[in-house]
Amino acid sequence: MKSVVINGRFLTRPLTGVERFATEIVNALDKLPIFDGVKYEIVVPEGAVFSVPSLKNIDIVQYGRGNGHFWEQFYLRRYARSKDVLLNLCNTGPVFFKKSVICIHDAHVWLVPDNFSLMFRLLYKITLPIHSFFSLGWVTVSNYSHEQLINHGLSNSKFKGVVHNGVEHIDALKNNSCTNKDSKKYFFALGSASKNKNIEILKCLDPVLTKNNLKLFISGGGNNLVFSKNNFQDSSDCIEWLGRLNDSDMVSTMQNSIAFLFPSYFEGFGIPPVEAMRCGVPVIASNTSAMPEILQDAAIYCSPFSGEEWCKAVELLINDDSMRSKLVEKGVEVSSKYAWSNSAKILHQIIKEALNNG
């Protein structure tokens, strides 16, 4: 029996994009019908407060004190030395550890450096190439991310394949009936303090929304420099910042919208627009980075630098019900291609190959 230990540091952190990937991949691995002689376990720091997935076949082991990078570099390394493979799902792990398989999600520290502190940028710019050279292999979440990571110095010879994000986690939250009193009277977007999310460009929609008596709801962590609550509300009666929503409220708000807007500059994959498609909601997205690859012909694309293009796309969906229906149909089809169960199978095969060749 070969032993694979999963770096469980992600369980001690809030659920964002990479943590979602790790959590859902582990859940899907746990449901595989056979492990082919591979035993998986997750290791987390002793005494850490962590979210525990409902796992039947994968054990959770507490080992070592501390947290963060120190725990990874010292305790996780020591624990994993006696195992056959260490699986790191969230960009980081013990450096120079040769028995690892690692998922490196994107090249954002190079592409959008202003998003990160100096120390964070230096850490990732140094360690990501090291991980790619010294590991048994590395994967990423899109062909776009693969291309960008290679361009910034990662080892192509150790690249083992693309492991997409999935989207079926959203199914349990969907509501088949749109009962919101504001149903189809607003557009919806997810934003954050990250400049990369480019939420500020959506201010250009104010005249279009005003003319059509519609609103734009934006959910997420606010950027006080752009959308502090008071300044944002004062700037427009048509655009409203909702703050951070839980998953259930986010899906409900998304389902009742005319369309989902995603104006990011760079995305390694872009889970939110695929979630919107899974919910039967049309998508308007940036025409950059991984978006055309992932969303294919199921979205309207706009330049993240052109407010005029975003206004025209929004007006199109306001006035053209047939276009909305077409996008909904294509969106459901495209989103069905992204399943955590399929990604877990691909990753499991990559791990088996690493075990055989390690």
Side-chain angles (χ1 to χ4, degrees):
M1 180 73 69
K2 297 290 187 177
S3 58
V4 177
V5 59
I6 301 170
N7 179 352
R9 182 182 164 208
F10 69 91
L11 292 175
T12 68
R13 302 194 302 238
L15 190 67
T16 59
V18 294
E19 289 80 19
R20 167 76 72 186
F21 175 88
T23 299
E24 299 297 342
I25 284 289
V26 168
N27 284 331
L29 283 172
D30 188 63
K31 294 179 175 66
L32 289 180
I34 54 173
F35 282 152
D36 301 324
V38 179
K39 173 61 179 175
Y40 288 94
E41 62 180 352
I42 303 177
V43 61
V44 298
E46 289 180 6
V49 177
F50 58 90
S51 55
V52 182
S54 300
L55 303 176
K56 295 181 179 179
N57 300 305
I58 299 178
D59 296 329
I60 298 179
V61 177
Q62 296 190 49
Y63 180 85
R65 293 289 180 178
N67 54 47
H69 293 292
F70 172 79
W71 176 83
E72 280 186 330
Q73 300 307 317
F74 183 73
Y75 287 109
L76 178 61
R77 179 191 302 274
R78 187 165 70 180
Y79 185 86
R81 277 193 301 226
S82 63
K83 308 299 179 179
D84 294 299
V85 167
L86 169 63
L87 176 59
N88 300 291
L89 294 167
C90 299
N91 298 312
T92 65
V95 292
F96 303 109
F97 193 83
K98 296 183 178 181
K99 295 191 296 181
S100 67
V101 172
I102 185 166
C103 182
I104 301 173
H105 289 251
D106 54 57
H108 283 182
V109 290
W110 290 280
L111 297 174
V112 281
D114 290 346
N115 275 3
F116 310 101
S117 68
L118 175 62
M119 288 301 297
F120 187 96
R121 293 199 307 269
L122 288 175
L123 176 68
Y124 272 55
K125 286 182 177 181
I126 292 170
T127 59
L128 294 187
I130 291 174
H131 286 315
S132 75
F133 278 100
F134 282 88
S135 65
L136 291 171
W138 64 278
V139 301
T140 190
V141 295
S142 67
N143 292 316
Y144 169 80
S145 283
H146 171 227
E147 177 184 352
Q148 292 300 317
L149 288 165
I150 296 303
N151 289 344
H152 289 92
L154 273 70
S155 170
N156 203 21
S157 65
K158 293 292 187 72
F159 178 67
K160 299 302 179 183
V162 170
V163 180
H164 287 132
N165 285 275
V167 73
E168 65 266 36
H169 59 272
I170 213 76
D171 291 347
L173 300 172
K174 290 192 300 186
N175 182 353
N176 292 327
S177 61
C178 293
T179 57
N180 189 302
K181 64 181 176 64
D182 294 321
S183 179
K184 309 308 178 191
K185 294 183 180 179
Y186 62 87
F187 290 83
F188 182 53
L190 291 176
S192 75
S194 167
K195 293 180 181 178
N196 181 53
K197 296 304 181 183
N198 193 30
I199 291 297
E200 185 175 12
I201 197 173
L202 298 182
K203 283 184 176 181
C204 73
L205 300 178
D206 186 61
V208 176
L209 297 170
T210 300
K211 181 178 70 175
N212 290 280
N213 195 28
L214 297 171
K215 284 182 170 289
L216 168 64
F217 292 152
I218 303 174
S219 170
N223 183 341
N224 289 333
L225 296 177
V226 179
F227 291 134
S228 64
K229 185 173 181 181
N230 291 334
N231 291 340
F232 187 80
Q233 290 183 340
D234 290 344
S235 68
S236 171
D237 291 331
C238 295
I239 304 176
E240 183 176 343
W241 188 270
L242 302 180
R244 193 177 300 277
L245 300 177
N246 61 39
D247 284 352
S248 180
D249 289 340
M250 184 274 292
V251 171
S252 176
T253 304
M254 182 181 287
Q255 278 191 285
N256 283 283
S257 66
I258 298 169
F260 178 72
L261 313 182
F262 199 66
S264 288
Y265 291 117
F266 296 101
E267 292 291 333
F269 181 89
I271 294 180
V274 186
E275 290 177 331
M277 289 178 172
R278 185 82 167 197
C279 290
V281 177
V283 170
I284 305 174
S286 293
N287 60 3
T288 61
S289 61
M291 292 297 89
E293 172 194 341
I294 299 303
L295 305 181
Q296 301 174 34
D297 63 347
I300 296 175
Y301 294 104
C302 301
S303 167
F305 304 99
S306 173
E308 181 180 358
E309 289 186 21
W310 285 88
C311 288
K312 288 181 178 179
V314 163
E315 283 195 291
L316 175 63
L317 290 189
I318 292 171
N319 298 316
D320 193 337
D321 289 339
S322 64
M323 175 60 73
R324 289 192 67 256
S325 299
K326 181 179 178 181
L327 289 175
V328 168
E329 182 179 354
K330 286 188 174 182
V332 171
E333 178 184 350
V334 168
S335 66
S336 67
K337 299 177 182 179
Y338 302 111
W340 295 114
S341 55
N342 292 338
S343 296
K345 291 175 185 176
I346 293 170
L347 186 57
H348 179 63
Q349 289 302 314
I350 291 169
I351 291 169
K352 283 179 61 182
E353 291 174 10
L355 288 167
N356 293 332
N357 300 327

